[in-house]
Amino acid sequence: MAVEVALERLLEMAAATPIVQHERVPLAEAQGRVLAEDLVSTLDLPPWPNSAMDGYALRLADWNGETPLVISQLIFAGQSPDPLAAGTCARIFTGAPIPMGADCVEMQENVIVEDDQRVRFTQPMACGQNIRPQGQETTVGEQVLGAGTRLGPIELGLAASLGRASLGVIRRVRVAVLSTGDELVEPGQPLGPGQIYNSNRVLLCGWLHRLGCDVVDAGILPDDLAATRTCLAQLSDVDLILSTGGVSVGEADFLGIALREEGELTLWKLAIKPGKPLTFGHFRGVPVIGLPGNPASTLVTFALLARPYLLRRQGVQAVSPLKFQVPAGFVWTKAGNRREFLRGRIENGRAVIYRNQSSGVLRSAAWAEGLVEVLEGRTLAEGDVVSFIPLSEVLD
Ligand code: AMP
Ligand code: MG
């Protein structure tokens, strides 16, 4: 199955079970959350015309090109000025309201202040120059952000500029993280024969926190059917069970058996590398996504499939990471029948890749700045164009 097809199906399923409950949170706690309501301005922004410069406000018609104008008032930001007296100018600072009657601000660098505190304007001036008009950014009643927008520092800054102290956001998605595998041991424990440390658990839990999810850390699940059933049964109150491992073909697949017995299982063989096997289904109605166990596969399938799914559950429309075209700084001679997402970097404007692209090598991703997409059936010469998805696009 092509990665686009799998993504489309996952997004359809996400849209069919949207999380609609919302809550009101203070701005400072809204980072990473999804807006549950349109943000409509109740203000003109700016609320009044103001000066874009430190300089002098005047009525252009009062200036004959020669005669200096008397300074009749001083206006700082935060003050409320008097109307401009005819035939005068006002000393004004950036962000201060334009006095009624003025229609132009000249920057201080372009004037000469005479000894008697009259101001000589030395450059041609235009009506409206250096004035930020009322409502330049937004006007009352205008929608500034739509429901389904993910809130980052910029959106929160915008909400603050409109005077909002809190926002209605979709409640956090509750995600249970399960690491399957008899070979897994938590860091801090001694490593026995045949054992490896569990890297996916902390990788996924940390990532999910960055995505604003409520994480239920369900720990390590042994490769055992009874334990799998018991564990899944305890996770009835989550929105998604996200497991890793145990989906390789040929392995005793206890997660799959449990889903078939008490829910539904779809096993997809994705045409991507790393990350071929992916499970989607539900257990007693709770959606389950089973990612492959190799850490680089976990990373790629989480970034490209599970993350968009989680965002769409919250009503986010823009779930696809930005990718851009760059020339390859490497050669690729063996055309694959799966789409490859190589861990790479940009060096001197070209995409280069980590020397070992094994799906077990997480170090490749730590070294990388992004995923280099090599299409099915393609070979590459240096300079051929490839797509590059920055990891920063998907990490939160
Ligand atoms: P599986 O999908 O269970 O066959 O796992 C594929 C590979 O990923 C095996 O080499 C596993 O040992 C490894 N693996 C599975 N889960 C984890 C994990 N949580 N942390 C590190 N490696 C894992
Ligand atoms: Mg396993």
Side-chain angles (χ1 to χ4, degrees):
M1 183 185 285
V3 60
E4 292 88 354
V5 176
L7 179 61
E8 208 173 300
R9 295 217 185 145
L10 277 175
L11 292 180
E12 273 167 21
M13 288 188 272
T17 51
I19 293 167
V20 291
Q21 297 95 325
H22 47 254
E23 57 185 337
R24 184 152 290 279
V25 296
L27 272 199
E29 289 164 30
Q31 171 103 320
R33 307 292 294 274
V34 174
L35 202 53
E37 63 202 2
D38 293 340
L39 179 63
V40 176
S41 183
T42 52
L43 291 177
D44 284 351
L45 207 63
W48 18 259
N50 69 95
S51 180
M53 291 280 176
D54 290 342
Y56 297 84
L58 66 152
R59 182 187 293 114
L60 207 53
D62 288 347
W63 182 60
N64 62 14
E66 307 239 327
T67 324
L69 300 180
V70 171
I71 302 173
S72 57
Q73 63 176 315
L74 201 62
I75 315 168
F76 292 102
Q79 292 182 337
S80 172
D82 295 328
L84 186 69
T88 72
C89 67
R91 179 76 169 116
I92 194 165
F93 297 92
T94 305
I98 302 293
M100 191 129 52
D103 56 13
C104 168
V105 170
E106 179 59 303
M107 57 198 270
Q108 61 194 20
E109 289 81 355
N110 289 347
V111 308
I112 295 164
V113 182
E114 309 276 351
D115 291 341
D116 59 0
Q117 294 296 296
R118 290 185 313 156
V119 179
R120 184 180 294 282
F121 297 89
T122 61
Q123 310 276 330
M125 294 178 286
C127 193
Q129 78 174 31
N130 299 323
I131 294 178
R132 303 162 173 163
Q134 175 173 346
Q136 150 177 284
E137 178 159 1
T138 187
T139 51
V140 174
E142 197 181 330
Q143 180 185 311
V144 176
L145 295 172
T149 301
R150 260 195 102 209
L151 300 167
I154 296 171
E155 289 73 22
L156 297 182
L158 197 52
S161 73
L162 296 170
R164 297 305 173 91
S166 64
L167 289 170
V169 298
I170 303 290
R171 74 152 167 81
R172 290 184 190 278
V173 188
R174 261 170 92 69
V175 183
V177 174
L178 263 184
S179 315
T180 74
D182 281 339
E183 75 280 27
L184 300 178
V185 176
E186 286 305 327
Q189 304 297 312
L191 207 56
Q195 297 185 316
I196 58 166
Y197 287 119
N198 181 1
S199 47
N200 290 338
R201 177 190 192 179
V202 73
L203 184 150
L204 287 178
C205 289
W207 201 341
L208 288 162
H209 276 132
R210 291 176 63 129
L211 291 174
C213 298
D214 225 348
V215 180
V216 177
D217 183 350
I220 294 173
L221 185 63
D223 292 315
D224 173 83
L225 184 57
T228 303
R229 281 199 199 107
T230 310
C231 176
L232 293 176
Q234 284 165 354
L235 299 173
S236 57
D237 65 338
V238 301
D239 301 304
L240 176 70
I241 297 169
L242 189 63
S243 77
T244 64
V247 287
S248 311
V249 185
E251 185 176 347
D253 176 6
F254 301 105
L255 183 73
I257 296 170
L259 295 190
R260 271 192 217 98
E261 283 177 356
E262 295 193 61
E264 192 181 276
L265 169 85
T266 326
L267 185 65
W268 292 336
K269 283 186 193 159
L270 301 182
I272 71 170
K273 191 177 173 188
K276 189 166 159 189
L278 190 101
T279 302
F280 185 84
H282 59 83
F283 182 85
R284 298 184 188 169
V286 179
V288 178
I289 296 181
L291 304 177
N294 275 307
S297 309
T298 300
L299 179 142
V300 167
T301 50
F302 184 85
L304 300 179
L305 297 161
R307 177 184 179 275
Y309 170 88
L310 287 169
L311 294 177
R312 186 57 57 85
R313 288 281 302 269
Q314 299 168 77
V316 179
Q317 286 310 304
V319 296
S320 297
L322 173 82
K323 54 176 147 178
F324 56 92
Q325 309 288 301
V326 281
F330 61 97
V331 292
W332 193 253
T333 51
K334 40 181 192 332
N337 53 7
R338 292 188 276 160
R339 187 167 314 174
E340 301 225 16
F341 291 94
L342 306 167
R343 275 71 69 211
R345 272 187 189 179
I346 304 294
E347 275 175 13
N348 303 316
R350 295 186 157 215
V352 294
I353 56 174
Y354 191 71
R355 58 186 158 76
N356 186 334
Q357 293 288 333
S358 160
S359 60
V361 176
L362 189 56
R363 201 171 159 191
S364 61
W367 178 89
E369 296 164 342
L371 300 173
V372 180
E373 183 178 6
V374 180
L375 297 180
E376 298 86 331
R378 278 237 30 205
T379 56
L380 295 172
E382 287 217 23
D384 285 353
V385 169
V386 289
S387 293
F388 186 86
I389 303 170
L391 280 175
S392 56
E393 272 288 299
V394 291
L395 280 176
D396 48 23

